[in-house]
Amino acid sequence: MSCTRCTRGRRRRLRFDGWIAGVGTSSGTRLVLGHWRQSPFGPFSDVMIERDDGERLLLAPSHRTADFVSGTYSFDTVRVVPVEVSVADGTWRVAAGPLELRFTVGRRRPLGVLLRAVPGVLAARPAWAALANGPAHLLPTHVRTRGRTGARRREWYGVRDMRPVGVVSAVFEGLDLGVMAPVEPPVRFGFGSAPRKPTLTRVTTTVELGR
């Protein structure tokens, strides 16, 4: 699916297609990786970090992406650093300035199998994200698929796949963050959090800009 820009009245919508990984560590630090294969800025990756003391940090690869992401979500600190992601044999490796992150991905569970069957065209529609956001659906606790963000923007997550994270290792500024743990307490970057259980999620995200 190609990245598109579309309009609704005077509001422009930007679309991002890729993966979001949310993991916790035994040190209390939680990390959310966005790996966007297609976006209005081209392919890029960014990492959101919430420390055990509550500090929220963004690592982004350019001033342009940093400005957009920090305008959409809330952070205490923003750093522009090279962010490189490689994937091989079910293992993801992330190098982002002071952060080195590695995690493995397990086999899909029934919910992941169900979501993977969602057609890409349907997942790209905000109406699908609104439907999935209802309390009767099966998405994990703390996950919200639509909401309002900074700069009077609205956002929809079209979830297309979910896979459990198996093993995590992370080092930040030379300090080992410990073993994998739940994403608890929930991260506070935007209107929702990553799933409590460390998860890799395929999404098509639509951001509607404020007027």
Side-chain angles (χ1 to χ4, degrees), residues 77-133:
T77 305
V78 176
R79 299 188 193 178
V80 176
V81 297
V83 182
E84 299 180 358
V85 177
S86 63
V87 184
D89 299 326
T91 298
W92 289 59
R93 292 179 172 85
V94 182
L99 174 69
E100 295 181 5
L101 171 66
R102 177 184 177 274
F103 61 91
T104 62
V105 179
R107 300 177 65 177
R108 290 178 184 85
R109 293 169 180 163
L111 179 57
V113 173
L114 179 64
L115 290 169
R116 194 164 182 254
V118 176
V121 173
L122 175 60
R125 296 178 179 174
W128 165 251
L131 179 65
N133 194 64

Side-chain angles (χ1 to χ4, degrees), residues 43-92:
F44 77 98
S45 301
D46 63 275
V47 184
M48 305 178 190
I49 302 172
E50 185 164 353
R51 308 291 298 275
D52 59 340
D53 62 2
E55 180 189 11
R56 295 165 297 180
L57 169 67
L58 170 66
L59 305 177
S62 69
H63 289 286
R64 189 180 181 201
T65 55
D67 289 345
F68 179 82
V69 176
S70 62
T72 304
Y73 304 101
S74 298
F75 301 96
D76 303 298
T77 305
V78 176
R79 299 188 193 178
V80 176
V81 297
V83 182
E84 299 180 358
V85 177
S86 63
V87 184
D89 299 326
T91 298
W92 289 59

Side-chain angles (χ1 to χ4, degrees), residues 133-201:
N133 194 64
H137 293 269
L138 301 177
L139 294 180
T141 303
H142 306 315
V143 173
R144 301 291 181 268
T145 58
R146 66 171 179 174
R148 294 189 178 275
T149 65
R152 302 179 65 183
R153 296 169 182 172
R154 294 199 298 169
E155 188 172 24
W156 296 266
Y157 290 104
V159 182
R160 301 179 59 184
D161 194 359
M162 297 184 80
R163 298 178 65 179
V165 170
V167 177
V168 173
S169 62
V171 175
F172 184 73
E173 295 182 334
L175 297 177
D176 190 332
L177 298 181
V179 299
M180 185 177 73
V183 183
E184 190 67 36
V187 292
R188 302 171 298 116
F189 308 117
F191 58 83
S193 177
R196 183 177 184 276
K197 293 182 178 180
T199 302
L200 177 68
T201 305

